[in-house]
């Protein structure tokens, strides 16, 4: 079964607007962590934000916030005030306690910011 | 500067010609992994290592070998590359034993096997 599902292959967003990237996950573990990474066209993987399964508050890092709905097993990334430099591929990933040596990734969402 | 260094960044090779992609980290991380990235599939783990001389298969290990003789280095070996191993490869490292540990990635190696 797919551990991480990202259903939006590609999205367009207008500069300065907010965009939400969907991520749902599947685990039977009680302890897990959710990560979002950005991959610009240059190819490197850039860590954006982390949410722990026991965290009661949604994580925020600057213009990035994570809408964590544990009962629905979703961890959507919200990028506020989009900039041209936000154009990239975005990956949702999960690390589970029982196999903490591994990150399980979704297929990714390509975001294109329009001027 | 904390980093994971992969080499080479780009490689074109022919079917059957053995190659090695090197990976080195300077953060004293216990865990190291290799992933491959393919369109529509995201990143999938090839092999991982939890410490020196401790390695194990990930989700897609066929056609690959690894070794971990020193804590900082984790090379990926393709003994007889085939075209279906054309992909973007990433080495990653992290501290072990915690779900909240961030993985640090190398710059990636774009491999083409013809």
């Amino acid at each position: 079964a797919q551990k991480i599902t990202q259903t939006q292959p590609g999205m367009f967003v207008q500069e300065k607007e907010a965009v939400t990237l969907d991520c749902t996950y599947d685990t039977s573990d009680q302890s897990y962590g959710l990560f979002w990474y950005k991959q610009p066209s240059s190819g490197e993987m850039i860590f954006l934000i982390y949410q722990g399964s026991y965290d009661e508050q949604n994580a925020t890092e600057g213009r990035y916030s994570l809408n964590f709905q544990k009962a629905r097993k979703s961890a959507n990334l919200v990028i506020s005030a989009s900039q041209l430099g936000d154009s990239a591929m975005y990956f949702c990933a999960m690390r589970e306690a029982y196999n903490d040596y591994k990150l399980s990734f979704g297929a990714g969402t390509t975001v294109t910011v329009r001027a | 500067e904390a980093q994971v260094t992969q080499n080479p960044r780009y490689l074109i090779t022919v079917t059957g010609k053995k190659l090695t992609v090197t990976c080195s980290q300077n953060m004293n991380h216990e865990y190291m992994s290799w992933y491959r990235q393919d369109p529509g599939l995201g990143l999938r783990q090839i092999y991982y290592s939890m410490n020196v001389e401790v390695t194990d298969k990930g989700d897609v290990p066929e056609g690959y070998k690894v070794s971990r003789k020193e804590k900082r280095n984790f090379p990926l070996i393709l003994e007889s590359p085939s075209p279906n191993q054309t992909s973007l490869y990433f080495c990653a490292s992290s501290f072990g034993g915690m779900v909240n540990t961030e993985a640090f990635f190398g710059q990636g190696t774009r491999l083409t096997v013809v």
Side-chain angles (χ1 to χ4, degrees):
Chain A
Q2 196 74 6
K3 290 277 187 183
I4 298 286
T5 301
Q6 294 180 254
T7 57
Q8 306 152 310
M11 300 181 71
F12 291 95
V13 60
Q14 207 64 30
E15 198 177 10
K16 298 180 187 174
E17 292 186 350
V19 62
T20 298
L21 309 184
D22 295 340
C23 172
T24 57
Y25 60 91
D26 181 28
T27 181
S28 56
D29 207 333
Q30 296 301 307
S31 178
Y32 52 89
L34 297 156
F35 301 80
W36 278 91
Y37 284 86
K38 173 184 179 181
Q39 186 180 52
S41 58
S42 51
E44 71 268 30
M45 296 288 284
I46 302 167
F47 167 71
L48 295 178
I49 196 167
Y50 165 81
Q51 179 84 42
S53 59
Y54 294 117
D55 294 342
E56 295 186 352
Q57 302 231 343
N58 286 340
T60 61
E61 289 286 349
R63 293 186 299 111
Y64 303 107
S65 60
L66 205 152
N67 183 1
F68 181 46
Q69 298 187 44
K70 192 170 181 176
R72 298 179 62 184
K73 293 190 174 178
S74 76
N76 299 340
L77 177 71
V78 180
I79 306 174
S80 62
S82 296
Q83 302 171 356
L84 295 177
D86 293 333
S87 294
M89 174 85 85
Y90 290 82
F91 289 100
C92 179
M94 176 173 65
R95 190 191 298 278
E96 299 164 283
Y98 80 94
N99 59 356
D100 66 345
Y101 50 83
K102 169 183 170 177
L103 279 171
S104 300
F105 283 85
T109 296
T110 301
V111 172
T112 304
V113 181
R114 290 169 163 159
Chain B
E1 181 192 352
Q3 60 184 4
V4 178
T5 304
Q6 275 179 247
N7 280 297
R9 292 288 312 277
Y10 302 92
L11 180 59
I12 301 174
T13 190
V14 296
T15 299
K17 185 176 181 182
K18 180 179 178 179
L19 66 91
T20 299
V21 185
T22 63
C23 174
S24 181
Q25 51 94 4
N26 63 1
M27 295 165 279
N28 202 36
H29 286 162
E30 298 89 1
Y31 286 14
M32 296 186 76
S33 289
W34 278 101
Y35 293 86
R36 61 177 288 172
Q37 180 183 345
D38 301 291
L41 297 176
L43 282 75
R44 294 176 292 167
Q45 192 183 52
I46 302 169
Y47 266 93
Y48 66 94
S49 170
M50 298 171 79
N51 216 322
V52 176
E53 303 292 0
V54 179
T55 64
D56 207 345
K57 297 177 180 178
D59 296 319
V60 287
E62 292 77 20
Y64 305 95
K65 284 176 58 176
V66 294
S67 67
R68 186 102 180 266
K69 294 183 170 56
E70 304 164 282
K71 196 170 187 178
R72 63 184 295 127
N73 295 325
F74 190 46
L76 179 70
I77 302 156
L78 285 71
E79 294 267 1
S80 182
S82 61
N84 64 11
Q85 293 178 298
T86 292
S87 187
L88 177 58
Y89 291 86
F90 286 99
C91 178
S93 73
S94 63
F95 289 113
M98 299 174 288
V99 296
N100 65 348
T101 181
E102 174 192 344
F104 291 79
F105 285 83
Q107 293 289 88
T109 297
R110 192 167 291 280
L111 172 66
T112 302
V113 184
V114 298

